Amino acid sequence: MRIGVDLGGTKIEVAALDRGGAAVARHRVLTPGRDYPATVATIRDLVLALETELGESCTVGIAMPGAISPATGLVKNANSTCLIGHPFDRDIAAALAREVRVANDADCFALSEAVDGAAAGARSVFGVILGTGVGGGIVVSGRLLAGVNAIAGEWGHNPLPWPADAERPGPLCYCGKFGCIESFLSGPALAADHQRVTGSRQTAEEVGHAAAAGDAPAAASLARYADRLARGLASVVNIIDPEVIVLGGGLSSIASLYRDVPALWGRYIFSDHVATRLVPPRHGDSSGVRGAAWLWPEPAA
Ligand SMILES: [Zn+2]
């Protein structure tokens, strides 16, 4: 069987998938706070306990924030954990005494939805996380595009395309630049935009619910959001032209996006007709562990 591990800032989830992709066991614990050795030891213990429970040795894949830098072999771009600067893939492989495959969590989301989720059967897939942050991953013919710098699909720190004057220079992003896509399209960004215009303090999900219930200011905030998302995705379509774009993360539950964004993106995509489909996720929160498990696509020995 395949074991997938989803290493998040607050929790670590582990699950085993059988050959058909059904989850046969899953467990979840709190992530040890800012303690790298304890994080590695917790993952090791979870995997070994699961193998004891299953009575067999499994392949192990791990979804993590950030990526292993091909230049240094150390973790980079992980903004919420203690992993940065450590050779996480080598440390976990040593702890488990086997090869372990490690990938970015947005990449695992994209892989999960491409293998047997909302984009199953599509040859090219862009998976998007719209949550606390904004990430992305690209899957072609069932395989992740890793990229020579291990940043393929990382569109969140590109600038928001076709900005209006009022969107320049845009909010200051934690990465040090102004106007990043993430600083317009993350959940906190939608909440901040709504508060700037209305003075009302609501979470992104609350804005989504209020808009669906007919609240005009919330609907206006969501309309601004949908247009920004349409522009952000149009620039991706213009480069990789995927068959399917799957949304994930907390904002993927806003149903109107799947109607409104494709109605808008034709203005920005350089094509007479846009066949790309924008779809909600099938596996949702489970995509971290599922995509991590599918980092071993070949049948288990
Ligand atoms: Zn940024």
Side-chain angles (χ1 to χ4, degrees):
M1 275 188 262
R2 300 174 170 90
I3 288 179
V5 179
D6 186 6
L7 170 56
T10 56
K11 65 173 175 57
I12 300 173
E13 188 167 350
V14 57
L17 304 189
D18 68 14
R19 274 168 189 275
V24 294
R26 73 190 318 157
H27 301 288
R28 150 189 301 208
V29 300
L30 291 177
T31 306
R34 299 181 186 187
D35 186 337
Y36 178 74
T39 299
V40 173
T42 299
I43 293 171
R44 177 199 62 205
D45 294 347
L46 280 168
V47 168
L48 295 180
L50 189 53
E51 288 185 326
T52 301
E53 185 183 328
L54 297 168
E56 65 177 275
S57 181
C58 305
T59 59
V60 178
I62 302 179
M64 59 173 284
I68 308 288
S69 165
T72 65
L74 308 176
V75 176
K76 64 175 178 179
N77 296 353
N79 60 337
S80 63
T81 77
C82 55
L83 303 174
I84 288 182
H86 290 282
F88 174 66
D89 55 341
R90 279 174 280 155
D91 287 343
I92 196 68
L96 285 168
R98 75 190 81 172
E99 184 192 348
V100 175
R101 293 183 184 168
V102 173
N104 172 260
D105 44 18
D107 285 354
C108 288
F109 166 77
L111 184 59
S112 167
E113 295 295 340
V115 168
D116 64 355
R123 288 197 48 208
S124 53
V125 179
F126 184 55
V128 175
I129 299 288
L130 299 172
T132 310
V134 172
I138 300 165
V139 178
V140 179
S141 300
R143 297 284 180 131
L144 267 177
L145 182 64
V148 72
N149 302 298
I151 57 164
E154 287 291 352
W155 67 313
H157 299 277
N158 282 358
L160 182 74
W162 299 283
D165 288 346
E167 292 171 332
R168 277 191 289 252
L172 177 61
C173 183
Y174 74 86
C175 76
K177 294 187 169 60
F178 288 91
C180 288
I181 282 174
E182 177 166 308
S183 66
F184 285 101
L185 294 182
S186 70
L190 170 55
D193 182 68
H194 182 67
Q195 187 177 3
R196 253 192 315 272
V197 174
T198 66
S200 164
R201 191 175 295 207
Q202 291 172 280
T203 66
E205 281 82 357
E206 287 166 350
V207 173
H209 288 142
D215 180 81
S221 294
L222 201 56
R224 287 193 300 281
Y225 183 87
D227 188 67
R228 289 164 179 162
L229 181 56
R231 281 181 269 157
L233 293 177
S235 67
V236 172
V237 173
N238 280 347
I239 295 172
I240 63 169
D241 200 6
E243 265 182 70
V244 180
I245 298 176
V246 191
L247 301 185
L251 280 74
S252 69
S253 65
I254 300 176
S256 61
L257 294 176
Y258 303 97
R259 176 197 66 209
D260 295 344
V261 171
L264 292 162
W265 67 15
R267 299 177 193 176
Y268 307 108
I269 294 171
F270 189 60
S271 176
D272 59 340
H273 173 75
V274 181
T276 303
R277 291 185 291 126
L278 182 70
V279 298
R282 176 176 174 200
H283 296 304
D285 286 347
S286 298
S287 269
V289 287
R290 295 187 66 85
W294 290 124
L295 291 172
W296 291 86
E298 53 277 74

